[in-house]
Amino acid sequence: MNLLPKKLALLSVAAALVFSGCSKKPIRPDPGSTMLGPGTGGAGINPMDIDAGGMGGLTDPSAGGLVSRGDGVYEDADMIKGLIQPVYFDFDQSGIRASERPKLQGAQRHLAENPQHRVLLEGHCDWKGTAEYNLGLGDRRAAAARQYLITLGVAASRIETLSKGDLEATENASEDQTSRDRRAEIIILKR
């Protein structure tokens, strides 16, 4: 007797949920046009002319405006990039190869010698695959490196992870370049 109005109400709610749940995917910005991307994002500014923080030396646009210390190491008041080499991964994998573990052991030693420092693990992927899949894979790679550091005795509170997915990957790159894109960067956070 009273079933028809209840069915209509239920059907209306279900239809509203179905149609409201569908939305367009957001458009990802080009990394070069953002503040955190490889460039400065500012028109007419040459990143090579900027002396970050008055530390002397040249900045490198691929290092996010950090100042070169030499030997591929870049630093500013907040972080050090390139001090510890990235951990590389096989295609579509997030397991850490035995040959890559010494890099994480080096990160553990650095953290033990510098108790004020923390570490940021950035997961990266090559250009193959969807943006969503690569963000997930980058997250799994960073998480695997994090878990390995925890097994080495590093406190979880001193480890941060971030997935960059394929944001910094070279599209249609050679196999040599794509193998370098499949990595977890180890960035020392000084604060």
Side-chain angles (χ1 to χ4, degrees), residues 32-43 45-47 50 61 65:
S33 66
T34 65
M35 289 301 290
L36 297 176
T40 61
I45 299 174
N46 181 356
I50 300 172

Side-chain angles (χ1 to χ4, degrees), residues 40 45-53 57-59 65 67:
T40 61
I45 299 174
N46 181 356
M48 294 300 289
D49 295 337
I50 300 172
D51 178 7
L58 294 176
T59 60
V67 178

Side-chain angles (χ1 to χ4, degrees), residues 39-108:
T40 61
I45 299 174
N46 181 356
M48 294 300 289
D49 295 337
I50 300 172
D51 178 7
M55 294 177 65
L58 294 176
T59 60
D60 178 5
S62 66
L66 300 172
V67 178
S68 174
R69 288 184 3 181
D71 296 334
V73 178
Y74 297 89
E75 181 175 6
D76 68 9
D78 298 322
M79 69 177 76
I80 307 170
K81 187 172 184 179
L83 184 65
I84 301 167
Q85 293 300 306
V87 175
Y88 293 101
F89 294 86
D90 292 326
F91 176 74
D92 201 26
Q93 298 296 312
S94 59
I96 299 172
R97 298 185 302 228
S99 61
E100 296 297 305
R101 292 177 185 158
K103 297 172 181 178
L104 290 167
Q105 293 163 357
Q108 182 272 333

Side-chain angles (χ1 to χ4, degrees), residues 116-149:
Q116 74 281 15
H117 289 179
R118 296 175 296 119
V119 69
L120 170 64
L121 304 168
E122 281 185 353
H124 294 261
C125 300
D126 60 31
W127 63 276
K128 301 170 187 174
T130 66
E132 292 81 12
Y133 181 81
N134 286 337
L135 280 172
L137 181 57
D139 187 52
R140 290 191 299 276
R141 288 175 173 168
R146 179 183 189 275
Q147 187 57 46
Y148 189 77
L149 283 174

Side-chain angles (χ1 to χ4, degrees), residues 28-32 38 124-126 134-135 163-169:
R28 294 180 0 182
D30 172 41
H124 294 261
C125 300
D126 60 31
N134 286 337
L135 280 172
S163 177
K164 292 266 187 125
D166 60 6
L167 286 174
E168 297 177 3

Side-chain angles (χ1 to χ4, degrees), residues 16-32:
L17 287 174
V18 167
F19 290 114
S20 68
C22 299
S23 63
K24 287 181 88 175
K25 291 181 184 177
I27 297 173
R28 294 180 0 182
D30 172 41

